[in-house]
């Protein structure tokens, strides 16, 4: 589905489901103002899809501050009911986009009566949930869970997140399979080194490495160390009375959430 006209409204009644087939995106939005997309569940299909929803082309340049695009009550699922494969679920390239309640999920656990649940490190695969390349993007109520690399990558300037919830993947088989180069694990919230201004408030990030509880994530949040990049009210938890370790909350700040000290908090950073 391509949206090319300003002011288009795409509303799913009863949480309408779009199942992606043949590796193509479910929705592609041109760099136009005032689009509203709401009330949809986007299900990845068995052929790997580069991106499930793309808002604006890469390199989008237009100023939409007077009439921003709205993404509301959107749900993404990779795997679970059927095999799903995607590189990225949601990519925001346009400027001044507003997100309100986005739930972006890769299936790595679950039960279903009468049938097989399609989960697993090599079966239902997805690199990351959200990439933000546009500037002045604000998201309220962001849930991103269980992806195999960064959960969120934020490259745009002046981004803002108000409430973020993230469970890391349950199913990495070992530490060697869950490393970003020499870094142990992939941050749950990654702000690019080039970003000069970013704010996020109310972040909860949880480890539950059930396949190998000895796995360590070096840092829940990775971000540039500069005054314009700020975080507040951060919590990390090692779930299941200590199934895995998150060594730091932001960069190298904060104590480890680990067996014996399962919850850590940081009021603000820096």
């Amino acid at each position: 589905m391509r949206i090319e006209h300003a002011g288009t409204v795409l509303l799913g009644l009863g949480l309408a489901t779009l199942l992606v087939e043949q590796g193509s995106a479910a929705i592609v939005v041109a760099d136009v103002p005032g689009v509203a997309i709401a009330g949809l569940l986007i299900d990845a299909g068995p052929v790997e899809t580069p991106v499930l929803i793309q808002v604006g082309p890469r390199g989008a340049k237009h100023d939409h501050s007077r009439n921003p695009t709205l993404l509301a009550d959107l749900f993404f699922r990779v795997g679970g009911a059927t095999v799903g494969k995607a590189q990225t679920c949601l990519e925001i390239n346009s400027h001044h986009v507003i997100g309100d309640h986005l739930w972006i999920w890769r299936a790595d656990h679950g039960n279903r009566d009468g049938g097989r649940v399609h989960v697993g490190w090599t079966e239902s695969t997805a690199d990351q949930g959200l990439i933000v390349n546009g500037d002045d993007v604000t998201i309220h109520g962001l849930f991103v869970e269980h992806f195999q690399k960064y959960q969120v990558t934020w490259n745009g300037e002046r981004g803002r997140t108000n409430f973020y919830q993230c469970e890391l993947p349950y199913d990495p088989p070992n530490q060697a399979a869950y490393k970003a180069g020499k870094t142990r694990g992939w941050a749950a919230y990654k702000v690019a080194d080039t970003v000069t201004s970013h704010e996020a408030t109310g972040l909860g990030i949880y480890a539950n490495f059930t396949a190998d509880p000895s796995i360590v994530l070096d840092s829940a949040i990775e971000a540039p160390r500069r005054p314009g990049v700020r975080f507040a009210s951060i919590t990390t938890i090692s779930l299941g009375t200590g199934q895995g370790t998150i060594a730091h909350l932001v960069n190298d700040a904060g104590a480890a959430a680990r067996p014996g000290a399962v919850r850590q908090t940081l009021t603000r950073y820096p």
Side-chain angles (χ1 to χ4, degrees):
M1 184 178 298
R2 298 189 62 87
I3 297 175
E4 299 182 345
H5 299 287
T8 298
V9 175
L10 177 59
L11 175 63
L13 299 179
L15 199 61
T17 300
L18 301 180
L19 174 61
V20 173
E21 296 182 342
Q22 306 304 319
S24 61
I27 301 171
V28 175
V29 184
D31 192 20
V32 294
V35 173
I37 305 173
L40 295 173
L41 170 62
I42 311 300
D43 231 341
V47 179
E48 186 178 74
T49 303
V51 60
L52 299 181
I53 292 183
Q54 184 184 61
V55 181
R58 293 178 184 176
K61 299 182 182 301
H62 293 159
D63 184 329
H64 302 309
S65 57
R66 294 187 178 183
N67 191 11
T69 283
L70 172 66
L71 309 175
D73 297 327
L74 294 182
F75 302 81
F76 297 79
R77 181 172 61 178
V78 181
T82 186
V83 172
K85 296 180 182 293
Q87 293 176 20
T88 301
C89 286
L90 175 60
E91 180 180 287
I92 300 174
N93 297 312
S94 290
H95 303 320
H96 306 99
V97 173
I98 298 171
D100 183 6
H101 189 206
L102 306 178
W103 183 75
I104 307 173
W105 185 76
R106 171 188 162 262
D108 63 351
H109 65 286
N111 294 293
R112 186 179 67 182
D113 294 334
R116 185 167 178 272
V117 177
H118 294 275
V119 300
W121 191 249
T122 59
E123 183 174 9
S124 290
T125 58
D127 285 349
Q128 49 199 346
L130 171 66
I131 298 176
V132 179
N133 295 320
D135 295 337
D136 300 289
V137 173
T138 299
I139 301 180
H140 308 283
L142 175 61
F143 303 76
V144 185
E145 303 187 291
H146 311 306
F147 289 86
Q148 294 172 295
K149 293 184 179 179
Y150 295 125
Q151 309 297 309
V152 171
T153 301
W154 208 296
N155 299 313
E157 288 288 354
R158 296 176 299 281
R160 300 184 69 178
T161 297
N162 298 307
F163 185 83
Y164 174 64
Q165 188 270 337
C166 174
E167 280 188 356
L168 299 164
Y170 288 12
D171 57 341
N174 50 55
Q175 187 75 72
Y178 192 58
K179 291 183 71 176
K182 295 182 180 180
T183 300
R184 293 176 296 180
W186 299 79
Y189 197 99
K190 171 72 172 179
V191 180
D193 294 342
T194 56
V195 171
T196 61
S197 177
H198 186 90
E199 294 185 14
T201 300
L203 303 94
I205 297 163
Y206 316 120
N208 194 30
F209 298 125
T210 55
D212 181 358
S214 71
I215 289 174
V216 177
L217 172 65
D218 277 337
S219 185
I221 300 167
E222 293 180 6
R225 294 173 171 86
R226 52 177 58 104
V229 179
R230 299 188 294 270
F231 297 87
S233 301
I234 310 136
T235 295
T236 55
I237 298 177
S238 179
L239 293 174
T241 65
Q243 297 276 9
T245 297
I246 303 175
H248 301 287
L249 288 92
V250 185
N251 297 329
D252 56 0
R258 56 177 176 77
V262 297
R263 178 175 178 176
Q264 301 294 341
T265 60
L266 195 62
T267 303
R268 61 180 54 87
Y269 179 94

